[in-house]
Amino acid sequence: MTDPTTVPARSDPTVYDEEDLDVAGAAVRQHIGWTPDMALILGSGLGQLADVARDTTVVPAADIPDYPESTVEGHHGRLVFGVLEDTRVVFVQGRVHLYEGYPVQQVAMPVRLVHALGADRMLVTNSAGGIDRTFDPGTLMFITGHLNMAFASPGVGSGAMPARRLAGGDGARGPFYDPAWTTRAEQVALDLGLDARRGTYAWTLGPSYETKAEIRALDRLGADAVGMSTVPEVLQAHRLGMTVLGLSTITNPAAGLASGALDHDEVLDVSERMREDLMELVQGIVRVAEG
Ligand code: HPA
């Protein structure tokens, strides 16, 4: 097994080849002897879901070569392996964002890693601003499509690719968000009495919230919600052929759609209030993953 401590620092953080992934994978396998079936990438406030998993093993980001470390205070980067609803899962805690200054390839690197470790399904959650006027704070939105308004992709620079990869939009490789899993998950939400809707998520770079003019434009383009994450991970997962479910918690009306300024504390408050419902929902979503 390769000793990760002997690996030299990467000169170009945008290029990970299979060998690099093997090194990262080998470092993780020193901690954990089994392979996960599903990855859960949890947005703000949901990291604690890992607490309800059984038989957990924590692998700190610092132990994994090339793993991106979150620069946001209190967001420790780590992988937590455990069993949730009889499914072997890996939680990706402390995701990083493009606005933290990482190249998009590095933002998506944890997805490549968990896929290489065995996960072929991914649930990804986030907090988002509501653009659809009927989405009150606390609404849950299953993501059925996205707008890539950061105009970045982890596929850039990955070398010569077969044409089928270049043609990897909704058409050629199937939808980004699995319709069947989404429908089952929606039923779980309804059974729990939650206000669950569907919609299109617009990914913006951040780190500042959008301007009113940007929200007006995104509304006209067909976005129902807006946020600063998720799409890089989904683009990566789709390239790898993973089955993906996306879930947004609407924490606030997007800029200009309510009186008063947008406030990060409001976002955290709503996430906090939603936490218990979301934890139940996520467990149900894991239960129905396989249909
Ligand atoms: N905009 C962008 N990201 C967000 C928002 C928002 O209004 N709310 C939560 N994350």
Side-chain angles (χ1 to χ4, degrees):
M1 196 177 277
T2 319
D3 176 0
T5 58
T6 63
V7 178
R10 170 181 321 285
S11 55
D12 181 353
T14 67
V15 181
Y16 293 102
D17 58 25
E18 295 306 315
E19 234 172 85
D20 301 319
L21 269 190
D22 286 349
V23 171
V28 174
R29 285 193 200 94
Q30 288 181 351
H31 294 261
I32 181 92
W34 48 264
T35 59
D37 297 316
M38 190 190 301
L40 290 92
I41 301 188
L42 302 175
S44 350
L46 265 188
Q48 281 169 345
L49 189 69
D51 296 347
V52 298
R54 286 182 281 125
D55 305 328
T56 51
T57 301
V58 175
V59 183
D63 288 1
I64 310 172
D66 292 321
Y67 197 93
E69 263 284 20
S70 173
T71 58
V72 181
E73 213 181 310
H75 282 237
H76 298 297
R78 55 190 208 165
L79 298 180
V80 181
F81 292 81
V83 179
L84 190 66
E85 301 290 326
D86 293 330
T87 300
R88 284 173 300 191
V89 300
V90 53
F91 298 91
V92 177
Q93 288 185 336
R95 66 139 68 98
V96 299
H97 303 81
L98 203 59
Y99 65 71
E100 292 176 71
Y102 287 106
V104 63
Q105 294 83 356
Q106 207 167 359
V107 172
M109 180 270 189
V111 176
R112 288 181 67 186
L113 178 60
V114 294
H115 177 260
L117 291 169
D120 60 4
R121 282 186 181 268
M122 181 175 91
L123 166 65
V124 54
T125 72
N126 62 45
S127 305
I131 295 179
D132 182 318
R133 308 289 197 284
T134 68
F135 287 2
D136 293 326
T139 302
L140 299 173
M141 185 188 89
F142 288 106
I143 304 173
T144 50
H146 64 234
L147 298 179
N148 182 344
M149 303 309 289
F151 306 104
S153 166
V156 170
S158 59
M161 287 185 291
R164 67 181 172 79
R165 292 227 194 152
L166 293 172
D170 277 323
R173 296 178 63 90
F176 282 76
Y177 303 89
D178 188 60
W181 194 8
T182 302
T183 299
R184 291 193 295 274
E186 205 169 31
Q187 190 58 51
V188 173
L190 292 176
D191 291 347
L192 288 169
L194 303 175
D195 183 14
R197 313 283 293 275
R198 291 180 174 218
T200 297
Y201 175 87
W203 174 38
T204 55
L205 172 63
S208 34
Y209 289 128
E210 300 71 34
T211 64
K212 294 176 189 176
E214 285 165 343
I215 294 301
R216 274 199 306 276
L218 290 175
D219 191 12
R220 284 178 196 162
L221 291 173
D224 300 299
V226 59
M228 304 170 196
S229 68
T230 302
V231 172
E233 290 101 330
V234 170
L235 293 175
Q236 183 65 69
H238 191 252
R239 285 169 62 80
L240 295 167
M242 296 173 78
T243 304
V244 172
L245 180 66
L247 176 64
S248 295
T249 304
I250 305 298
T251 50
N252 57 279
L257 299 185
S259 52
L262 265 185
D263 174 1
H264 187 56
D265 287 342
E266 178 189 349
V267 171
L268 294 180
D269 275 359
V270 176
S271 305
E272 177 74 34
R273 272 195 276 126
M274 296 294 294
R275 183 179 294 152
E276 280 197 12
D277 284 344
L278 274 167
M279 297 219 330
E280 263 193 87
L281 175 60
V282 168
Q283 288 178 77
I285 286 173
V286 171
R287 214 161 37 231
V288 301
E290 301 288 346

